[in-house]
Amino acid sequence: MASSLPPGLTPSEVAFLCEMELVTVVPRQRLEGLELLGGPIPPLQPPYRAAIPLWLALLLKRQRRANIVPPPWLSPPSLEAILKLETSLTSFTPPPPEQASLSSSTISPPFLPSATADAPPDALPYHWLEMGEMLLDAAADDFPDPDSARRLMRDLREVRMAKLRAGVEVLEGGREVKMNGVGGMEIAEGRAFIAGVVDGLRKIGASKELSRKEREAEERENDIGGGGDDDEMDM
């Protein structure tokens, strides 16, 4: 039985994967460490910071047992700088460099600490959109200026989606589209649009090929018919 699900990850699935990303929290009470399938959770002891998965940080935040430290790239000054760079480039801004110091036995892409307190302030990580929305929704009181952060994220999203749509349009000329720096949620949300454009171009190409073959077949028939008439006239 054929599956009715669309190909690729849905936005809700991308958001679920984002919850495995590490964020920095400041615990408000002492908590013992945990051994989970995704890796060990360190003991939490106030007022020391700790990096834990986003899903656990959101749970502790709702229970008022921890505060979340916003990642540096989610501050208004950093978002303004990234937005300025984004509008000056025809391509997407480059993603943050991978941290080679991480232990490959416990953490691997895309589950990287790209949203912790020591993350690069001048680059958007892979899960920037869904990460920012979840943090601003659940921990707005941990941000110095959440309204400005929301506004800048909205502007960034519009600029980057316009680039994505413009990039897909070049497919009509047979050129390739560079997706470097595109985020996970941006791909999931734009998948239907991109797939529709590619499918339409495929149908147009197939129609042109069919027309070309029919035209060549008709020309061959005309050549054969014309040759036969010449022979009869010679006789």
Side-chain angles (χ1 to χ4, degrees):
M1 181 177 178
S3 175
S4 60
L5 295 177
L9 297 176
T10 63
S12 59
E13 291 170 337
V14 173
F16 174 78
L17 292 177
C18 174
E19 293 184 357
M20 295 297 296
E21 294 284 322
L22 298 179
V23 296
T24 301
V25 299
V26 178
R28 303 177 66 176
Q29 59 181 262
R30 185 173 181 178
L31 299 172
E32 298 295 333
L34 298 173
E35 292 290 338
L36 303 177
L37 293 176
I41 303 298
L44 304 181
Q45 183 176 358
Y48 301 105
R49 294 183 174 186
I52 62 176
L54 175 61
W55 66 267
L56 181 58
L58 295 177
L59 176 63
L60 296 178
K61 177 63 180 179
R62 295 188 186 100
Q63 297 175 348
R64 299 183 179 180
R65 302 170 74 181
N67 291 91
I68 299 177
V69 180
W73 54 264
L74 200 48
S75 66
S78 295
L79 289 174
E80 287 182 359
I82 296 173
L83 178 60
K84 183 178 180 180
L85 178 61
E86 195 76 61
T87 54
S88 66
L89 298 175
T90 56
S91 59
F92 292 91
T93 53
E98 294 186 6
Q99 300 182 24
S101 61
L102 295 175
S103 174
S104 59
S105 61
T106 58
I107 301 176
S108 62
F111 309 124
L112 297 175
S114 56
T116 55
D118 56 352
D122 55 352
L124 297 176
Y126 183 69
H127 288 292
W128 74 274
L129 181 55
E130 55 273 32
M131 172 70 72
E133 289 180 347
M134 283 190 278
L135 289 179
L136 287 168
D137 180 60
D141 57 328
D142 290 332
F143 286 77
D145 191 356
D147 294 334
S148 296
R150 290 191 184 96
R151 176 181 54 82
L152 291 167
M153 281 194 60
R154 183 173 61 253
D155 294 344
L156 262 173
R157 183 178 186 178
E158 293 176 355
V159 171
R160 290 169 65 89
M161 287 304 294
K163 285 186 179 182
L164 187 60
R165 289 190 294 268
V168 173
E169 292 176 357
V170 306
L171 291 173
E172 297 181 1
R175 293 178 292 173
E176 61 184 12
V177 179
K178 292 184 178 181
M179 303 290 285
N180 298 352
V182 181
M185 186 62 70
E186 292 169 310
I187 295 176
E189 292 180 343
R191 188 184 303 277
F193 168 75
I194 296 173
V197 172
V198 172
D199 186 60
L201 293 175
R202 187 183 297 112
K203 291 179 180 179
I204 293 175
S207 177
K208 290 182 179 179
E209 181 67 16
L210 180 60
S211 299
R212 184 185 64 82
K213 291 182 178 179
E214 291 177 349
R215 184 172 60 254
E216 291 178 353
E218 183 179 354
E219 291 175 354
R220 286 195 298 268
E221 291 177 358
N222 292 336
D223 292 341
I224 294 174
D229 294 340
D230 292 342
D231 293 341
E232 292 178 359
M233 293 178 62
D234 293 340
M235 292 177 62

